[in-house]
């Protein structure tokens, strides 16, 4: 059950697309989460929706995902807008890739090897590699939740440069100095109202920035949030965006 205290978004009261900048998470927001990151299915209308959004906002549409940039781009080959990956550790801006200073570093590779070794010993666990981090997924082995969480927290300890971050049925190790809120903060402009859509705990930092800027924050699915509106699932995100484009 969705908490009734967070109302549904009302696209009739949103700024017109020409006055908005749209920030979109990917997994769980535009596409349904699958048992493994590679198993997602791109909805038929999504490429066209992003195309129309780019056109109507004069290209003010940015994808901000936990995935690596190339991973998002591989699933959305027609999307020509900017993409931030690894929660902001990597970006593709005007088709040019920018990487975090820890990308490919010995430090990151050490964490990746440790998580790979853990996965090899724990059936159902899955390792997702990123340029500047690694994710330990346990969606296929939910009994591992406590063990995997303790393992990752112990591994990271008080590293300082890298932090452990809980996600949906996963534990992520990422650079300490990146989060989606910082990305949105950098991209805010005084002449446009920000809209941010996200489903996970990593999106809350971006909701905070968008709320402070007088924008519209949309939480997808259940769970505590500081977003001011909520929809139930990715299909509802796409519908509300289409409604906005048709009505404004
Ligand atoms: Mg997500």
């Amino acid at each position: 059950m969705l908490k009734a205290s967070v109302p549904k978004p009302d696209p009739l009261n949103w700024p017109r697309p020409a006055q908005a900048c749209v920030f979109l998470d990917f997994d769980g927001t535009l596409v349904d989460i699958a048992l493994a990151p590679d198993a997602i299915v791109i909805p038929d209308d999504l490429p066209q929706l992003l195309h129309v959004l780019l056109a109507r906002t004069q290209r003010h549409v940015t994808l901000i995902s936990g995935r690596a940039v190339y991973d998002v781009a591989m699933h959305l080959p027609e999307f020509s807008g900017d993409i931030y990956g690894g929660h902001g550790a990597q970006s593709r801006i005007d088709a040019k890739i920018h990487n975090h200073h820890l990308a490919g570093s010995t430090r990151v590779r050490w964490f990746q090897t440790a998580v790979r070794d853990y996965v090899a010993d724990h059936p159902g666990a899955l390792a997702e590699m990123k340029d500047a981090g690694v994710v330990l997924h346990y969606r296929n082995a939910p009994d591992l939740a406590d063990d995997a969480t303790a393992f990752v927290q112990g591994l990271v300890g008080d590293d300082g440069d890298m932090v452990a971050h809980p996600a949906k049925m996963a534990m992520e190790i990422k650079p300490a100095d990146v989060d989606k809120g910082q990305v949105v903060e950098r991209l805010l402009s005084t002449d446009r109202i920000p809209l941010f859509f996200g489903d996970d705990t990593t999106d809350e930092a971006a909701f905070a920035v968008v709320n402070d800027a007088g924008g519209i924050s949309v939480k997808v699915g259940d769970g505590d949030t500081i977003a001011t509106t909520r929809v139930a699932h990715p299909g509802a995100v796409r519908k509300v965006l289409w409604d906005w484009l048709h009505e404004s």
Side-chain angles (χ1 to χ4, degrees), residues 9-22 24 30 45-61 79 192 195 197 236-248:
D10 178 10
L12 281 175
N13 285 321
W14 288 359
R16 297 169 63 81
Q19 278 111 43
C21 50
V22 181
L24 298 160
L30 294 176
D45 68 332
L46 183 55
Q48 179 68 8
L49 173 61
L50 293 173
H51 179 76
V52 177
L53 274 173
L54 277 170
R56 294 284 303 281
T57 61
Q58 293 80 43
R59 302 192 56 78
H60 286 78
V61 179
F79 180 71
R192 286 189 180 250
L195 279 67
F197 297 72
V237 172
R238 299 193 303 277
K239 180 174 186 311
V240 87
L241 285 170
W242 278 122
D243 288 348
W244 180 46
L245 292 168
H246 288 143
E247 289 163 5
S248 52

Side-chain angles (χ1 to χ4, degrees), residues 1 9-11 17 25 31 37 50 59 72 94 109 122 129 133 135 138 158 171 173 216 232 238:
M1 279 289 288
D10 178 10
D25 169 50
V31 301
L50 293 173
R59 302 192 56 78
V72 178
D94 297 331
R109 285 206 299 274
H122 295 80
M129 299 300 148
V135 189
Y138 51 84
D158 53 3
M171 280 298 286
I173 302 171
I216 290 151
R238 299 193 303 277

Side-chain angles (χ1 to χ4, degrees), residues 25 27 29 199-200 203:
D25 169 50
D27 292 86
T29 296
D199 71 304
D200 210 342
D203 299 306

